[in-house]
Amino acid sequence: MAIRKIRIMEEDEILRKTAKPVKAMDLRTERLIRDMKETLYEANGVGLAAPQVGVLKRIFVTDCSEERNDVRVFINPEILSSEGAVTDNEGCLSVPDRHAPVTRPEKVTVKALDENMEEFVLEAEGLLARCICHENDHLDGILYVDKAEGPVEYNTKENGWAE
Ligand code: GNR
Ligand code: NI
């Protein structure tokens, strides 16, 4: 396993490109997914999309649990439907040390393939729904700063976003 380098906005144009669907599981993709999980935990993120580690494949991983033991893999995801709207602060590992409010659906229904290339449909709400939308945007070169509804602020002690 290996920790991969997370690409940063304005340093790496790959974050602005559209990722390509995965046609079949192979050793490279298996290794990528293993490394993405490891990188997700190492970075303390709730989600990580393949373009963030420099790979233009339609894959993301999430773990929105407190316990950090509920990793999910989404390959070729499609958001089938969404409901409601919630505005909350969002951050991104590719836009370090900043946050801004973004409106996302309250609930989403997403279809994707798992690591065995088997289709599943998941209904998500709360942070997982937000995370799925944020990661799905990464696959199309979209960053939360594009959708921010207020200033993208630096995390500081004064505003309560840093130690
Ligand atoms: O770690 C992350 N936290 C987060 C918080 C609110 C909404 C979305 C996210 S995703 C982000 C990790 C990341 O950049 N994934 O692409
Ligand atoms: Ni992100």
Side-chain angles (χ1 to χ4, degrees), residues 10-155:
E10 283 160 354
E11 290 178 9
D12 203 323
E13 276 305 305
I14 199 162
L15 292 168
R16 292 311 197 167
K17 295 188 173 155
T18 301
K20 292 175 195 70
V22 176
K23 289 192 188 130
M25 189 51 61
D26 57 20
L27 283 169
R28 276 174 83 93
T29 308
E30 275 180 29
R31 193 178 311 124
L32 169 67
I33 292 169
R34 281 208 310 274
D35 291 351
M36 284 174 65
K37 291 178 186 175
E38 198 177 336
T39 306
L40 174 74
Y41 288 122
E42 211 265 338
N44 262 310
V46 294
L48 183 72
Q52 292 184 277
V53 294
V55 179
L56 285 175
K57 288 183 178 168
R58 301 190 78 81
I59 303 173
F60 63 76
V61 296
T62 65
D63 188 343
C64 291
S65 69
E66 285 285 311
E67 302 79 18
R68 316 293 293 147
N69 62 359
D70 189 24
V71 69
R72 295 162 195 258
V73 179
F74 299 76
I75 301 171
N76 302 343
E78 274 179 64
I79 293 178
L80 300 177
S81 64
S82 59
E83 269 179 58
V86 182
T87 306
D88 203 352
N89 277 298
E90 211 159 294
C92 181
L93 295 169
S94 297
V95 188
D97 308 314
R98 293 190 226 184
H99 67 276
V102 180
T103 301
R104 300 285 191 185
E106 200 172 351
K107 259 184 156 184
V108 295
T109 304
V110 60
K111 178 174 89 170
L113 303 175
D114 65 17
E115 287 160 281
N116 303 314
M117 297 300 271
E118 288 180 42
E119 193 176 296
F120 65 93
V121 174
L122 174 74
E123 268 189 46
E125 54 184 42
L127 180 59
L128 182 58
R130 175 170 299 275
C131 186
I132 287 168
C133 295
H134 174 116
E135 302 315 329
N136 198 56
D137 276 351
H138 273 301
L139 306 182
D140 293 319
I142 299 164
L143 299 173
Y144 85 89
V145 296
D146 305 339
K147 297 185 166 178
E149 280 158 67
V152 181
E153 289 189 295
Y154 279 98
N155 301 342

